[in-house]
Amino acid sequence: MTIGWNDNTPIYRQLKDKVIGMMLDGALKAGDALPSVRQIAAEYQLNPITVSKAYQELVDDNLVEKRRGIGMYVTEGASEKLLASERERFLREEWPAMLERIRQLGLNVDVLLRDQHGSQS
């Protein structure tokens, strides 16, 4: 896990987002253990409370479960749940802003999508 911290967002939130990204990318799958709070705190020179707060939010979101004495593990169905919520958030928040920017620039959505498909072939 490589992380470049930014000053605009609390570090616990950035850490949580990084773990979520790893789940969405398939790097963390159901049943996988998260690195320990101490390990993350030492590796990234963070306060263990900061790491615990990020992990606790993942637990609160039912994406991770605490197994007493052995650590935190990705829950069954976490990736699917995340994918659904991220798709909804994208369509609600990001897509309208993108469409507005496309309109401002006088670009054609159909041409952009066709060009994007062509460049991936």
Side-chain angles (χ1 to χ4, degrees), residues 3 22 25 37 42 56 72 76 80 92 102 112 117:
I3 301 176
M22 292 173 70
D25 290 340
V37 168
Q56 186 58 51
M72 303 274 205
E76 203 62 46
E80 295 80 9
R92 186 182 64 247
I102 288 167
L112 288 172
H117 269 331

Side-chain angles (χ1 to χ4, degrees), residues 20-97:
I20 286 172
M22 292 173 70
M23 289 178 188
L24 288 171
D25 290 340
L28 283 173
K29 296 176 179 48
D32 286 352
L34 270 56
S36 73
V37 168
R38 287 185 189 153
Q39 181 182 346
I40 293 295
E43 188 171 338
Y44 297 104
Q45 299 178 347
L46 298 174
N47 185 320
I49 294 170
T50 300
V51 179
S52 292
K53 185 169 183 173
Y55 279 14
Q56 186 58 51
E57 285 201 0
L58 292 166
V59 170
D60 293 346
D61 293 343
N62 295 316
L63 301 173
V64 169
E65 65 183 352
K66 288 181 189 177
R67 295 184 187 165
R68 195 166 197 79
I70 59 174
M72 303 274 205
Y73 291 82
V74 178
T75 58
E76 203 62 46
S79 295
E80 295 80 9
K81 179 180 178 181
L82 274 173
L83 194 54
S85 68
E86 285 297 305
R87 284 177 175 161
E88 178 192 322
R89 188 187 63 74
F90 173 80
L91 291 172
R92 186 182 64 247
E93 298 172 13
E94 295 177 43
W95 184 241

Side-chain angles (χ1 to χ4, degrees), residues 100-116:
E100 178 59 21
R101 184 70 173 146
I102 288 167
R103 187 196 60 74
Q104 287 174 339
L105 296 173
L107 299 170
N108 181 311
V109 175
D110 294 328
V111 171
L112 288 172
L113 292 174
R114 189 175 55 245
D115 287 349
Q116 182 60 31

